[in-house]
């Protein structure tokens, strides 16, 4: 089955700086890659996603890039703010129409004021 | 988007007992899933809840331990049977409205279970 690796496990950045989280996946059949943000005690919330026919997608301060050849995708957060502090999970979906998600191990992002 | 609620939000149970968790979506969805999130860990898929038929379980999860029902397109239950302390975890349901590939998956708030 699909395996998703995520790095780093923890990340601390100064407020206003950029943060980058990277994920790799194992199965070239995966075609959908969402990113979720989970604040302490809360449910995971989708923040951005990308499909395999697109190389990059941006939504204000958040962007995701996908390299299908290398089988990795990354989350970029610019101009970080204290409210960006949370755990971020990447995921991959291998079955078109099945929607089963395989999650990465998570990155705890801390923004230092 | 889909609004998803779960009951109970948390519970403390004795080993050997069973707990049924309910998941309610505010509108019809094509797919519903159950995940487990152990403390400080990532989410692991338990099973896909199929409407009107038996759930599809992932490797390492069995129906006898985690029976699932989905009687209609907006409701599902997960039972954690014969609980042990190792079952202490957060259980989350999720739902997808479309099913045509790359559809947003929304999560419920989770049920925090502690087994003594």
């Amino acid at each position: 089955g699909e395996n998703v690796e995520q790095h780093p496990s923890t990340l601390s950045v100064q407020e206003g700086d950029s943060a980058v989280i990277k994920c790799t996946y194992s199965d070239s059949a995966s075609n959908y890659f969402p990113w979720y943000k989970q604040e302490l005690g809360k449910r995971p919330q989708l923040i951005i996603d990308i499909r395999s026919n697109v190389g990059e997608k941006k939504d204000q301060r958040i962007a995701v890039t996908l390299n299908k050849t290398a089988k990795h995708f990354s989350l970029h957060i610019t101009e970080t703010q204290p409210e960006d502090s949370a755990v971020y999970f990447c995921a991959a979906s291998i079955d078109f129409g099945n929607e089963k998600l395989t999650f990465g191990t998570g990155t705890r992002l801390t923004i230092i004021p | 988007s889909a609004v998803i609620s779960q009951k109970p939000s948390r519970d403390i149970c004795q080993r050997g007992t069973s707990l049924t968790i309910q998941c309610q979506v505010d509108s019809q969805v094509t797919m519903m899933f159950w995940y487990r999130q152990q403390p400080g860990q990532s989410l692991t898929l338990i099973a896909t809840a199929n409407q009107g038929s038996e759930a599809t379980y992932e490797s390492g999860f069995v129906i006898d331990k985690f029976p699932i029902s989905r009687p209609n397109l907006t409701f599902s239950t997960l039972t954690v049977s014969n609980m042990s302390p190792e079952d202490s975890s957060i259980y989350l349901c999720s739902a997808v409205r479309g099913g045509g590939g790359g559809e947003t998956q929304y999560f419920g708030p989770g049920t925090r279970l502690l087994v003594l």
Side-chain angles (χ1 to χ4, degrees):
Chain A
E2 174 69 285
N3 181 52
V4 179
E5 295 188 358
Q6 183 171 346
H7 299 280
S9 58
T10 61
L11 179 62
S12 295
V13 301
Q14 290 291 138
E15 182 178 353
D17 288 350
S18 296
V20 180
I21 303 170
K22 299 181 180 181
C23 289
T24 60
Y25 59 99
S26 61
D27 197 315
S28 55
S30 289
N31 54 17
Y32 176 62
F33 307 93
W35 286 88
Y36 286 85
K37 175 183 180 182
Q38 188 175 34
E39 297 177 31
L40 188 63
K42 301 287 184 63
R43 74 187 79 192
Q45 299 268 21
L46 179 76
I47 56 171
I48 197 167
D49 58 12
I50 192 167
R51 291 166 176 74
S52 60
N53 59 345
V54 176
E56 183 174 358
K57 182 177 179 181
K58 188 174 182 181
D59 183 4
Q60 299 183 343
R61 296 186 297 110
I62 296 173
V64 57
T65 59
L66 171 65
N67 184 325
K68 287 192 296 182
T69 302
K71 289 190 284 189
H72 68 70
F73 55 112
S74 300
L75 177 70
H76 304 254
I77 305 175
T78 59
E79 301 172 17
T80 53
Q81 302 169 1
E83 53 265 37
D84 294 329
S85 293
V87 178
Y88 291 81
F89 293 99
C90 63
S93 177
I94 188 171
D95 291 325
F96 188 88
N98 184 294
E99 317 299 341
K100 294 197 305 182
L101 293 176
T102 300
F103 282 85
T105 49
T107 297
R108 182 174 300 278
L109 175 64
T110 301
I111 306 302
I112 304 167
Chain B
S1 65
V3 177
I4 304 174
S5 60
Q6 285 183 234
K7 288 193 294 186
S9 59
R10 60 179 63 229
D11 208 341
I12 300 173
C13 300
Q14 297 298 318
R15 68 173 67 207
T17 63
S18 298
L19 176 71
T20 295
I21 302 167
Q22 298 179 6
C23 178
Q24 179 73 55
V25 189
D26 67 335
S27 57
Q28 292 185 351
V29 291
T30 54
M31 310 195 75
M32 296 182 74
F33 303 93
W34 287 97
Y35 289 84
R36 182 173 71 184
Q37 186 174 28
Q38 295 180 307
Q41 303 293 314
S42 184
L43 289 82
T44 300
L45 181 64
I46 298 172
T48 303
N50 299 309
Q51 193 263 327
S53 64
E54 191 171 287
T56 305
Y57 290 85
E58 298 300 305
S59 176
F61 298 96
V62 296
I63 187 171
D64 290 346
K65 177 66 177 177
F66 298 101
I68 288 171
S69 76
R70 188 181 172 193
N72 56 51
L73 292 175
T74 63
F75 184 78
S76 178
T77 67
L78 167 74
T79 298
V80 187
S81 303
N82 188 24
M83 289 184 285
S84 67
E86 292 70 36
D87 294 320
S88 297
S89 190
I90 300 172
Y91 293 86
L92 300 107
C93 68
S94 70
V96 176
R97 179 165 285 119
E103 301 286 344
T104 299
Q105 189 160 144
Y106 298 95
F107 285 85
T111 295
R112 191 178 297 269
L113 171 62
L114 177 62
V115 184
L116 302 177

